[in-house]
Amino acid sequence: MGLFGRGKGGGLMNVIRCDEQEYIVWKWRPRNQEANTTSRENAIRFGSTLRVKDGEVAVFLYNQKNGPLQDFVLGPFDGTISTANLPVLTNLIGTLWGGDSPFQAEIYFINLQLNNQMRFGVPYFDVFDPRLPDQAVPIAVRGTLTFNITDYQNFIKLNRLMNFEHEDFKRQINAAISKHIRQVVTNIPMETGTPVIQLERQIETVSSRVAEKLGTRLKDDFGVNLRALDISELEIDKTSPFYQELYRLTAGITAETLIAQRDVNIKNMKDTQELNRLNMEETLRIQREEAQRAQRLQTETQFFAAHALDQQAAVLKAGAESLGQMGQMGGGGDGGMNAAGLMTGMMMGGAMGGQMAGMMNNMGQYMQQGMQNSQAQTNQQYGQQAPPPPPGAGGATPPPLPNVQYFVSIGGQQAGPFAAAQLPLLVQNGTLTPQTYVWKQGMAQWDLASNQPELAPLFLQQPPAGPPTPPPMP
């Protein structure tokens, strides 16, 4: 503060300002004037300089019979004191001091900065673990409270500014903090199932619950706004005998839990491996049986085709013999030809041949269908090349089998495959002729048998189509 000369009516001019670094409320007094030492400590003259920094407010308090009155000067402000900036004083000057100065007022500076911090500590108090409700473990709590003053008029109403002491204010807030922390911490173990010796894991929960309860209390009772409450430590008295017992109990349960979980995990792993092994065995068994079945069907199909050709050749042979003997049927004793017998034999031979031909035709169709189904499965299994559809087959394409030689087109339908040993039988019964279309592995399309050099010898050895001309009758 400094001197600016003498004002009207005598006395010294003052510079009214707050130079404190950390404060909540600070009362201004003239230099060398201690509290309650002289009446001059509240004597203020017009023309004195008032300096209010940003983040603080200056309060002029006039004690009247009907109660205190206040003027507020919100920073930043730097100017002289006058009735223009102290409206309440304007009315008081005229009635009490006759428009003269000095006037009587107490001047307080209130810190309105965003963050005022104060540390707090709650000494050891008993907390009970739900597993051992009759054995208390001492716990202390430490942390930091961050607050600010937003409603300074309400703050003045709730707090006595005269001789305001920061330590007294801190003690009052500490008492409120201690009450709510004790209440929250003692209930956390039961509410969350947390062992007391592991209570530090709940620091965030404790902080948020205490802040929720404390915020309303600080606003209503102290006029300050709670910005944050940070608990930095939940200190457990580890020398307590009950702590040692709880530690053994908790550690034992934890160890047993880990061992049990390990055993369960090992068993699950072994069970999974055994299931995988069984599944693999079953998969391989099924694949092996399918392969064997496909091979068996292929073999049966090949032998069935050969058997069908043998039966067809036998039928043709039997029919030829029957036709050769028809001349003898119904012969007379003189050895002459019996026309009726001959006709009867021809009719019977024709009927028998037609019946056998129909039977063999049905058998051939059944055989052809079976070969096609079997070859489709084998072709899918081994991925072999399938022949193109024979001429007149309408696009039907049977799949080939392993070790195939020739497919033969019969009436626009493919038959086969036929091994080399089977082809002469087809030539003998007239199924395979030089004009028959054939196909084998490696051929792009069906082609006439006469165009295949390896089939030419079969047609050179072909027997005559019918019996030779009988000799003339004697």
Side-chain angles (χ1 to χ4, degrees):
M1 77 193 90
L3 301 177
F4 285 80
R6 297 180 178 275
K8 182 180 178 180
L12 300 177
M13 299 298 181
N14 300 112
V15 177
I16 302 173
R17 66 186 183 188
C18 176
D19 294 328
E20 296 293 318
Q21 296 298 320
E22 295 184 5
Y23 71 98
I24 298 176
V25 176
W26 181 79
K27 181 180 180 181
W28 176 86
R29 295 183 179 89
R31 178 177 292 181
N32 299 324
Q33 299 296 321
E34 300 298 331
N36 301 322
T37 59
T38 174
S39 61
R40 286 190 58 196
E41 67 172 293
N42 295 328
I44 311 299
R45 287 188 175 277
F46 284 115
S48 293
T49 301
L50 176 65
R51 296 176 181 174
V52 185
K53 298 189 294 293
D54 188 19
E56 64 184 13
V57 61
V59 182
F60 286 74
L61 183 63
Y62 316 106
N63 291 314
Q64 302 298 311
K65 293 181 180 180
N66 296 330
L69 300 176
Q70 301 97 15
D71 271 324
F72 302 96
V73 180
L74 188 64
F77 177 85
D78 189 353
T80 59
I81 295 177
S82 66
T83 56
N85 48 49
L86 297 176
V88 173
L89 181 62
T90 301
N91 297 328
L92 295 178
I93 289 293
T95 58
L96 299 179
W97 292 289
D100 202 353
S101 64
F103 60 89
Q104 297 293 316
E106 299 176 4
I107 303 176
Y108 297 92
F109 287 83
I110 299 177
N111 188 355
L112 300 180
Q113 290 180 352
L114 290 178
N115 294 319
N116 290 299
Q117 287 191 333
M118 55 180 292
R119 296 183 179 278
F120 64 86
V122 181
Y124 285 111
F125 59 96
D126 291 339
V127 180
F128 296 88
D129 193 289
R131 295 169 300 174
L132 298 174
D134 56 344
Q135 298 182 5
V137 176
I139 293 181
V141 182
R142 299 178 181 84
T144 303
L145 180 72
T146 304
F147 67 94
N148 63 351
I149 299 174
T150 55
D151 188 353
Y152 49 83
Q153 296 186 32
N154 184 53
F155 179 82
I156 293 173
K157 292 178 183 178
L158 296 174
N159 298 278
R160 187 173 181 271
L161 298 183
M162 184 63 179
N163 298 328
F164 182 91
E165 296 292 339
H166 182 268
E167 291 301 320
D168 291 339
F169 184 74
K170 180 179 178 180
R171 280 193 294 269
Q172 294 174 19
I173 292 182
N174 249 325
I177 294 174
S178 178
K179 172 185 175 182
H180 292 295
I181 284 181
R182 289 171 180 266
Q183 181 182 12
V184 171
V185 172
T186 53
N187 290 328
I188 281 290
M190 181 66 71
E191 292 176 358
T192 64
T194 304
V196 170
I197 65 173
Q198 298 177 359
L199 202 57
E200 287 186 339
R201 298 189 308 176
Q202 299 293 337
I203 283 183
E204 289 293 334
T205 302
V206 172
S207 296
S208 61
R209 292 191 182 185
V210 173
E212 182 180 355
K213 294 177 178 295
L214 189 63
T216 303
R217 173 77 184 278
L218 293 181
K219 180 179 179 180
D220 294 344
D221 294 352
F222 301 97
V224 298
N225 176 53
L226 177 63
R227 290 183 60 82
L229 184 138
D230 299 306
I231 295 178
S232 59
E233 185 178 13
L234 288 171
E235 180 183 350
I236 302 174
D237 183 6
K238 297 182 179 180
T239 63
S240 168
F242 293 150
Y243 168 82
Q244 298 294 334
E245 185 171 349
L246 272 175
Y247 180 82
R248 288 192 298 270
L249 177 62
T250 302
I253 292 177
T254 302
E256 291 178 2
T257 301
L258 291 175
I259 293 173
Q261 186 63 49
R262 180 204 63 189
D263 294 341
V264 170
N265 291 340
I266 291 175
K267 184 177 184 303
N268 290 340
M269 180 182 65
K270 290 182 177 179
D271 291 345
T272 301
Q273 292 176 344
E274 179 64 17
L275 287 175
N276 290 337
R277 185 186 66 81
L278 294 175
N279 288 338
M280 180 60 69
E281 288 183 355
E282 182 65 13
T283 300
L284 292 176
R285 184 190 64 81
I286 293 174
Q287 292 177 350
R288 184 171 59 253
E289 290 181 353
E290 289 295 328
Q292 293 173 352
R293 178 174 176 272
Q295 183 64 36
R296 186 169 57 254
L297 288 174
Q298 174 185 339
T299 303
E300 291 175 354
T301 301
Q302 291 177 342
F303 281 100
F304 183 79
H307 176 69
L309 289 175
D310 291 342
Q311 291 298 320
Q312 185 177 6
V315 169
L316 293 175
K317 182 179 179 181
E321 292 177 351
S322 297
L323 291 175
Q325 296 175 359
M326 280 192 300
Q328 301 176 4
M329 293 180 61
D334 56 358
M337 175 178 293
N338 188 328
L342 177 61
M343 293 300 296
T344 302
M346 292 177 64
M347 292 174 61
M348 292 180 62
M352 181 182 66
Q355 183 178 1
M356 293 299 294
M359 180 181 66
M360 292 307 299
N361 184 44
N362 293 335
M363 182 183 298
Q365 292 179 357
Y366 176 79
M367 175 191 70
Q368 182 67 23
Q369 185 64 38
M371 288 190 297
Q372 291 178 359
N373 295 337
S374 174
Q375 188 60 30
Q377 296 177 356
T378 304
N379 190 47
Q380 184 179 4
Q381 181 73 19
Y382 296 99
Q384 294 183 352
Q385 179 188 3
T397 305
L401 293 170
N403 303 319
V404 181
Q405 289 195 4
Y406 276 96
F407 286 89
V408 179
S409 175
I410 302 176
Q413 300 293 327
Q414 65 183 31
F418 300 110
Q422 297 171 310
L423 296 178
L425 295 176
L426 298 180
V427 175
Q428 181 180 356
N429 59 29
T431 301
L432 178 59
T433 68
Q435 302 305 316
T436 302
Y437 280 93
V438 296
W439 183 91
K440 69 175 182 177
Q441 292 286 346
M443 292 175 59
Q445 297 293 334
W446 291 79
D447 198 2
L448 295 176
S450 60
N451 295 334
Q452 308 306 314
E454 62 269 32
L455 299 183
L458 296 178
F459 304 123
L460 295 177
Q461 300 174 4
Q462 181 176 3
T469 303
M473 294 181 62

